[in-house]
C-alpha cells in the first residue's frame, strides 16, 4: 500500500512552507497567484487530500451531522434523510446516515460512535422508547433532535406527526365505506407510532358507536414487507374473514396485499386495505394503496434546521416540539363500498 501523502510532502515538492500550503487550501487570498498555482499543481499531482478530522479538531467544530433511523429499507426514512441532507448542505455540512435496524443494541453502538467522533449534532428516531441510549450524547454535550417522535423532555427538540390523528383518519375512511370491524396490523408494541395509530383507530370506532372489540389486532415483529406477508397469512385464517385492514405502515400493507393476492381475494371488493406513510411504492402497487401521508421530507428538513439553530446558539436556542399533521390519500385499495 502506498504511504498517505501529507501536507509536508506537498510543501517539500512545491518548495514552500507547510503554512503556505495551508493558506493555499484554507485562505488562498493570502497567497500570490504564482505560488498558489504551483502548490495546487503539486496537490493535484500527488493526490493530496487534507485530513478533515484534524481540521475539525483544530477548529473545535465538526462539519458532520449524524442521522440514525429505524430502517433504511423503508422509503419513509429515505425521504426523511433527503430533507435533512438538503438543510445540512445549505449550511455547508454533511450528513452521516446510519441504520439501527430497530435494534436497541445497535442504537447504543451508533450513539457511542457519534460521541467518539464528536459530530456536530444528531438526528435520531430512537429504537429504545425509554431514550436511555441518548444519555451518551447528553453526557458529551452533543445536541440531538428526535425525528418522528414527540419529546417528553422540554429541553429537547422534536419533529413528529400526530399519529393518533392519522390512525383516526384511516379508520374513519373504512367505517365510512361500510366496514364495521377492522383488523389492525401493528408492529413492535414498544414503538410509540404503532401504539398511537392503534389508539386513533379505536377513537374512530368509538366515535361511530362501535365497541373496542370491532378492532382486531394482528401483530408483526417488524415493520417490513416480509412481516406483512406473514400477518396477511394469519389474518386470512380469522373467522369471519375480515373485510377491512389498516396497517401500521405501507411496507406491512404491501406484504398483506401480496398475501391477499396469493389467496385470490379481490381488493378492495372482498378486502379493503389502508397503509401509513404514503411511500412512493404505495401508488405503484398492483392495486394502488390508500395511505395516510406523512410529510417525511419536511420532517427531516425541520429537524435538521432546529439542530443547526441549537448548535449555532446553544444558550439562546428555544427548544420546540413540532407536531405536523397527516393526511389521507385515497386510492383503489379501499374504494369498494359495502
Amino acid at each position: 500500500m502506498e504511504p498517505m501523502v501529507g501536507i509536508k510532502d506537498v510543501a517539500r515538492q512545491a518548495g514552500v512552507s507547510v503554512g503556505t500550503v495551508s493558506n493555499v487550501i484554507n485562505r488562498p487570498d493570502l497567497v500570490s497567484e504564482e505560488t498558489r498555482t504551483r502548490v495546487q499543481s503539486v496537490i493535484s499531482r500527488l493526490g493530496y487530500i487534507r485530513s478533515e478530522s484534524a481540521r475539525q479538531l483544530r477548529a473545535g467544530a465538526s462539519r458532520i451531522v449524524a442521522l440514525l433511523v429505524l430502517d433504511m429499507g423503508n422509503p419513509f426514512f429515505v425521504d426523511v434523510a433527503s430533507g435533512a441532507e438538503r438543510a445540512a448542505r445549505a449550511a455547508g455540512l454533511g450528513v452521516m446516515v446510519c441504520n439501527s435496524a430497530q435494534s436497541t443494541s445497535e442504537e447504543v453502538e451508533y450513539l457511542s460512535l457519534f460521541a467518539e467522533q464528536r459530530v456536530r449534532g444528531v438526528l435520531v428516531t430512537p429504537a429504545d422508547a425509554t431514550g436511555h441510549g441518548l444519555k451518551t450524547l447528553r453526557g458529551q454535550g452533543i445536541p440531538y433532535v428526535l425525528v418522528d417522535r414527540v419529546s417528553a423532555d422540554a429541553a429537547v427538540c422534536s419533529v413528529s406527526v400526530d399519529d393518533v390523528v392519522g390512525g383516526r383518519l384511516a379508520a374513519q375512511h373504512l367505517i365510512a365505506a361500510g366496514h364495521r370491524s377492522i383488523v389492525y396490523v401493528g408492529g413492535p408494541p414498544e414503538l410509540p407510532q404503532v401504539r398511537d395509530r392503534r389508539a386513533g383507530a379505536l377513537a374512530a370506532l368509538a366515535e361511530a358507536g362501535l365497541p373496542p372489540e370491532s378492532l382486531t389486532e394482528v401483530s408483526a415483529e417488524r415493520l417490513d414487507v416480509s412481516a406483512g406477508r406473514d400477518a396477511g397469512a394469519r389474518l386470512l385464517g380469522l373467522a369471519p374473514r375480515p373485510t377491512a385492514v389498516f396497517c401500521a405502515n405501507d411496507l406491512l400493507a404491501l406484504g398483506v396485499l401480496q398475501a391477499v393476492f396469493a389467496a385470490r381475494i379481490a381488493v378492495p371488493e372482498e378486502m379493503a386495505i389502508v397503509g401509513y406513510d404514503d411511500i412512493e411504492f404505495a401508488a405503484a402497487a398492483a392495486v394502488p394503496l390508500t395511505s395516510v401521508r406523512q410529510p417525511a421530507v419536511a420532517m427531516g428538513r425541520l429537524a435538521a434546521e432546529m439542530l443547526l439553530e441549537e448548535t449555532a446558539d446553544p444558550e439562546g436556542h428555544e427548544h420546540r416540539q413540532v407536531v405536523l399533521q397527516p393526511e389521507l390519500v385515497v386510492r383503489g385499495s379501499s374504494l369498494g363500498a359495502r
Side-chain angles (χ1 to χ4, degrees):
M1 180 181 294
E2 293 291 329
M4 183 177 294
V5 175
I7 193 170
K8 291 182 180 179
D9 299 311
V10 174
R12 184 169 56 253
Q13 290 284 327
V16 298
S17 69
V18 169
T20 297
V21 177
S22 178
N23 283 337
V24 168
I25 295 171
N26 299 300
R27 294 179 294 176
D29 55 300
L30 299 181
V31 184
S32 70
E33 182 177 355
E34 179 186 353
T35 301
R36 188 167 64 244
T37 299
R38 185 167 74 255
V39 171
Q40 288 172 339
S41 176
V42 172
I43 287 174
S44 178
R45 177 163 54 83
L46 297 182
Y48 169 71
I49 299 175
R50 71 176 179 178
S51 172
E52 180 63 18
S53 59
R55 190 201 67 80
Q56 290 173 7
L57 284 173
R58 290 192 298 271
S62 170
R63 295 180 59 244
I64 298 297
V65 171
L67 170 62
L68 182 60
V69 300
L70 290 178
D71 181 11
M72 277 306 294
N74 186 339
F76 166 76
F77 287 111
V78 175
D79 288 343
V80 169
S82 175
E85 191 266 346
R86 291 179 196 175
R89 282 191 64 185
L93 305 176
V95 177
M96 175 172 60
V97 182
C98 298
N99 177 27
S100 72
Q102 302 176 41
S103 165
T104 55
S105 61
E106 290 192 33
E107 177 178 283
V108 169
E109 291 177 6
Y110 274 123
L111 293 176
S112 296
L113 174 64
F114 299 157
E116 291 172 5
Q117 295 298 317
R118 296 295 192 272
V119 297
R120 179 168 297 210
V122 177
L123 306 172
V124 56
T125 303
D128 184 353
T130 68
H132 178 75
L134 296 172
K135 292 180 180 178
T136 300
L137 301 179
R138 191 185 295 272
Q140 295 294 325
I142 298 174
Y144 60 89
V145 174
L146 301 187
V147 184
D148 196 29
R149 189 71 52 82
V150 178
S151 174
D153 186 347
V156 174
C157 286
S158 66
V159 183
S160 62
V161 168
D162 193 329
D163 286 315
V164 175
V165 169
R168 181 185 285 115
L169 288 173
Q172 285 174 338
H173 170 66
L174 292 170
I175 293 167
H179 300 280
R180 291 297 172 263
S181 65
I182 300 171
V183 168
Y184 176 58
V185 178
E190 64 270 16
L191 293 179
Q193 299 95 320
V194 171
R195 298 197 302 268
D196 288 349
R197 292 165 195 180
R198 177 180 180 276
L202 284 170
L205 289 168
E207 291 164 2
L210 298 171
E213 296 77 30
S214 300
L215 187 74
T216 301
E217 186 164 3
V218 173
S219 62
E221 291 185 359
R222 299 180 63 82
L223 294 168
D224 56 27
V225 174
S226 177
R229 283 195 298 268
D230 175 70
R234 283 183 283 131
L235 69 85
L236 289 173
L238 297 175
R241 192 172 68 198
T243 63
V245 181
F246 168 42
C247 299
N249 79 353
D250 284 342
L251 297 183
L252 287 173
L254 292 172
V256 169
L257 187 62
Q258 289 178 5
V260 170
F261 270 14
R264 299 185 182 278
I265 294 170
V267 176
E269 293 80 8
E270 296 178 82
M271 187 178 296
I273 301 175
V274 176
Y276 205 105
D277 289 339
D278 194 34
I279 62 175
E280 183 178 358
F281 299 143
V287 176
L289 185 66
T290 293
S291 184
V292 178
R293 175 179 294 165
Q294 297 199 82
V297 174
M299 194 182 303
R301 176 178 54 78
L302 284 170
E305 288 174 349
M306 287 196 290
L307 182 65
L308 296 177
E309 288 171 7
E310 182 173 358
T311 60
D313 183 14
E315 299 301 323
H317 177 71
E318 182 178 343
H319 293 286
R320 293 176 288 152
Q321 290 75 44
V322 177
V323 180
L324 304 175
Q325 293 302 305
E327 62 176 308
L328 183 71
V329 179
V330 178
R331 299 191 181 96
S333 69
S334 66
L335 286 175
R338 300 295 296 164

